[in-house]
Amino acid sequence: MAKEKTSYSCTECGGTSPRWLGRCPQCESWNTLIETVVEAAAPAKNRFASLAKTSAVAVLADIEASEVDRTPTGIGELDRVLGGGIVEGGVVLIGGDPGIGKSTLLLQALDGLQRAGVPTLYVTGEESGAQVALRSRRLGLERSQVQVLAEIQLEKILATLATNQPSVAVIDSIQTMYSEQLTSAPGSVAQVRECAAHLTRAAKAGGTCIVLVGHVTKEGALAGPRVLEHMVDTVLYFEGDTHSSFRLVRAIKNRFGAVNEIGVFAMTEKGLKGVANPSAIFLSQHSEPVPGSCVLVTLEGTRPMLVEIQALVDSGGPSPRRLSVGLDRDRLAMLLAVLHRHAGVDCLDQDVFVNAVGGVRISEPAADLAVMLAITSSLRGRPLPRGFIAFGEVGLAGEVRPAPRGQERLREAAKLGFSVAVVPKANAPKKGSRDIEGLTIHAVDRVEEAMEIVRGLA
Ligand code: TYD
Ligand code: MG
């Protein structure tokens, strides 16, 4: 193939330059130029020529709505986040920290599919065929018929996809692939985008479901899976602490299913195993209640889970620190201000650390009340009562707002043996309706009310 021309385009303003420059000549932002292939466009006869090829306008009601066909991978928790299984021509991006279990899960899934008679291809750019074989033996996938290709050059992979026509192909990982059209190194934004774009096109054209593995890079967004999110149909991220055995896979975008659905796995000797009843795995086991700990009932996708929120408030230096793991730091600063203004709880000269146990990431505002109660408990050195849970969003005016699907959360907590709850008024069962068995529910409208109730309980 003739080497096509490349140029550099700015990610900020879209301006171009024939060579690489540190600063964009148009918008003058720094380090925004990335290499792109210049498509050799045939000279257009007139400037509307390309429009002539668009498809005909149709009335929405007349377009046949066809449900997409899904092929289950056989791994229940993975199918759950995928929205039922893999889809023909669909492109899935799986991101996560190195070593969290991406390759393990995908090899297990491919083996399951292959055994069900679905032709598969595993393209490995990080490990040799022998290493993949070793892993498959460790996973107990004896006599696996999965096709393996150790290759990092995009053009060769595309050729293999065209000749083998697998139904599912895994590219592990997109950051190791390179196209010979570009001179930049594998893993650069330009290469990652170019390779993903070609693979996406190949998926749509050949009806292959392509799964791209992307490492979350230390630098965060740059060249990591983030730059690909808009191109693909489904984005899944692995979460979890590599030190604990539990892993969450969360769907953050899905054109074929629900978002924010999660799959829960445990890393075992024989790879990742689905956890069927995961609601209690993010609780740490205290024999006695300790200060600074509050259990939150969070709703992950369609299922409620209990997560312990821990806070440590300790005298800080001249500029006290606010750190959070698994929770939003800006939100923490806001909650501290609300605590101070509306509940008279003053931690302004203290270091405040908060942590969601087990490496789970909590983004829903319904965590607010539990975070505030954990902070207050740590500051006062007084534990919350045994069997205590809380949830509810807190606003800047100190009001406690309802969380979605409160009844479900309460039922899950009761099922796991929790006995006291502080929740927003709108989430408490209506007077006269049946209470939730075994659970004493305190309904609150304002954050100071919640603090008052907790003081009375402890
Ligand atoms: P891996 O799938 O290679 O991670 P990634 O592809 O996301 O970088 O997972 C590697 C980790 O999983 C490694 O630390 C070893 C562990 N592991 C197990 O605990 N059990 C197993 O059966 C396998 C295959 C790996
Ligand atoms: Mg890997």
Side-chain angles (χ1 to χ4, degrees):
M1 203 185 317
K3 196 161 162 50
E4 290 177 47
K5 265 182 63 188
T6 63
S7 93
Y8 293 82
S9 67
C10 173
T11 52
E12 288 293 322
C13 70
T16 54
S17 159
R19 62 204 166 87
W20 191 83
L21 296 168
R23 192 174 196 183
C24 170
Q26 271 97 14
C27 69
E28 308 204 326
S29 15
W30 288 96
N31 283 333
T32 53
L33 289 183
I34 63 158
E35 193 181 20
T36 42
V37 176
V38 182
E39 302 260 347
K45 288 199 184 71
N46 77 50
R47 61 202 175 95
F48 299 115
S50 62
L51 290 179
K53 278 188 239 134
T54 53
S55 51
V57 177
V59 177
L60 183 56
D62 296 343
I63 303 174
E64 206 176 322
S66 54
E67 260 298 312
V68 282
D69 260 346
R70 294 156 211 278
T71 314
T73 62
I75 300 178
E77 293 292 304
L78 180 61
D79 289 337
R80 183 187 186 99
V81 280
L82 286 171
I86 55 160
V87 174
E88 199 182 293
V91 181
V92 182
L93 172 68
I94 294 201
D97 292 332
I100 201 157
K102 301 181 293 296
S103 308
T104 305
L105 180 64
L106 291 172
L107 195 59
Q108 287 176 283
L110 283 191
D111 185 71
L113 284 162
Q114 184 75 48
R115 276 171 215 266
V118 179
T120 60
L121 176 69
Y122 181 81
V123 182
T124 168
E126 305 200 330
E127 293 158 312
S128 63
Q131 283 168 311
V132 176
L134 197 66
R135 177 194 309 244
S136 78
R137 305 290 190 279
R138 206 175 141 191
L139 292 171
L141 310 176
E142 305 301 331
R143 311 174 65 81
S144 176
Q145 299 299 306
V146 173
Q147 309 265 326
V148 178
L149 171 69
E151 181 57 65
I152 59 171
Q153 200 199 318
L154 175 75
E155 285 73 18
K156 291 190 185 150
I157 295 166
L158 290 174
T160 311
L161 283 175
T163 46
N164 285 29
Q165 302 207 328
S167 295
V168 199
V170 169
I171 310 294
D172 191 357
S173 66
I174 190 70
Q175 277 121 336
T176 53
M177 304 298 156
Y178 78 96
S179 162
E180 55 181 11
Q181 311 270 326
L182 299 180
T183 50
S184 19
S188 61
V189 177
Q191 285 287 6
V192 164
R193 275 205 201 155
E194 182 73 9
C195 293
H198 277 286
L199 288 163
T200 305
R201 226 170 292 162
K204 305 289 170 206
T208 301
C209 170
I210 292 192
V211 183
L212 305 174
V213 175
H215 290 296
V216 174
T217 48
K218 278 238 174 59
E219 305 81 53
L222 205 69
R226 278 274 139 88
V227 301
L228 302 178
E229 281 176 2
H230 65 282
M231 285 187 206
V232 301
D233 299 309
T234 306
V235 179
L236 307 181
Y237 275 106
F238 260 94
E239 289 174 21
D241 203 336
T242 29
H243 307 297
S244 91
S245 64
F246 293 112
R247 305 279 186 275
L248 293 186
V249 178
R250 191 190 298 265
I252 67 153
K253 164 179 174 179
N254 197 348
R255 288 191 185 137
F256 308 116
V259 285
N260 250 328
E261 194 56 89
I262 59 162
V264 185
F265 296 92
M267 180 62 93
T268 67
E269 288 288 284
K270 294 213 152 183
L272 288 161
K273 292 252 153 48
V275 177
N277 203 350
S279 53
I281 60 173
F282 294 107
L283 298 176
S284 50
Q285 310 294 328
H286 303 293
S287 51
E288 284 297 317
V290 293
S293 153
C294 179
V295 176
L296 158 76
V297 192
T298 174
L299 203 76
E300 299 291 350
T302 54
R303 67 188 165 193
M305 291 221 307
L306 285 91
V307 177
E308 182 182 338
I309 305 293
Q310 294 185 333
L312 178 65
V313 180
D314 203 13
S315 56
S319 51
R321 281 178 297 172
R322 268 85 236 258
L323 287 180
S324 65
V325 179
L327 293 149
D328 184 36
R329 192 147 61 129
D330 292 336
R331 191 131 192 126
L332 172 63
M334 188 191 100
L335 295 179
L336 288 172
V338 174
L339 260 182
H340 180 227
R341 171 63 75 90
H342 297 286
V345 179
D346 183 1
C347 337
L348 296 183
D349 55 351
Q350 310 271 326
D351 283 342
V352 180
F353 307 99
V354 296
N355 174 32
V357 167
V360 54
R361 241 165 261 155
I362 294 175
S363 50
E364 65 161 4
D368 294 350
L369 197 55
V371 171
M372 291 168 114
L373 289 169
I375 291 171
T376 315
S377 158
S378 173
L379 180 72
R380 303 216 164 111
R382 291 174 59 173
L384 288 158
R386 185 182 286 280
F388 181 91
I389 60 118
F391 60 83
E393 177 179 350
V394 177
L396 285 178
E399 80 279 17
V400 177
R401 300 201 199 113
R405 319 237 298 269
Q407 299 287 313
E408 247 172 83
R409 299 181 199 233
L410 288 169
R411 273 198 294 274
E412 188 69 25
K415 204 169 88 192
L416 290 166
F418 285 80
S419 53
V420 195
V422 170
V423 302
K425 199 152 262 167
N427 288 138
K430 302 280 165 296
K431 275 221 171 61
S433 71
R434 240 163 31 106
D435 250 7
I436 293 167
E437 211 170 316
L439 195 62
T440 313
I441 299 165
H442 300 275
V444 294
D445 256 335
R446 304 202 40 86
V447 58
E448 54 270 31
E449 257 179 86
M451 298 297 152
E452 198 57 46
I453 286 172
V454 165
R455 208 168 310 154
L457 290 172

